[in-house]
Amino acid sequence: MILLPVVAWTAATVLELTAAPLHHYCHVHGPLISDRYAAAVDWTVCKDSAEGHRLDAQTLQQICAHLREMRTPKAQAVHTALIHLTDTP
């Protein structure tokens, strides 16, 4: 079982990403939930950036902490992109 945050990728806000409830998932559903969270992060960061909003360092660290625990290629790619864009570990 893996503990993952749960968000709807189409309706995610920064607040939803950082305050997403955590649920346990099996090895079959865990990767799907991880990819959905990664897609929500990607969508939200791109949308906010296009609107001229910048995320603060603490928020980015919280999001990166979630992504760092996920082992899917999509989650790792989004995590790597955030690190390179923001210099956030």
Side-chain angles (χ1 to χ4, degrees):
M1 298 293 275
I2 184 172
L3 191 61
L4 297 170
V6 180
V7 295
W9 75 271
T10 57
T13 64
V14 172
L15 180 60
E16 289 173 327
L17 293 173
T18 57
L22 299 174
H23 296 282
H24 283 96
Y25 289 94
C26 66
H27 70 282
V28 173
H29 293 105
L32 299 172
I33 300 301
S34 294
D35 283 351
R36 184 166 64 181
Y37 185 82
V41 170
D42 189 27
W43 168 259
T44 302
V45 170
C46 288
K47 178 180 61 90
D48 286 357
S49 178
E51 294 172 355
H53 303 291
R54 301 212 16 106
L55 299 175
D56 62 271
Q58 182 179 0
T59 301
L60 286 171
Q61 287 175 350
Q62 289 175 322
I63 293 169
C64 282
H66 285 310
L67 290 168
R68 191 173 30 251
E69 299 300 318
M70 299 175 186
R71 298 293 167 220
T72 65
K74 182 183 282 187
Q76 291 300 300
V78 172
H79 180 250
T80 301
L82 285 179
I83 289 171
H84 288 302
L85 290 174
T86 62
D87 295 328
T88 302

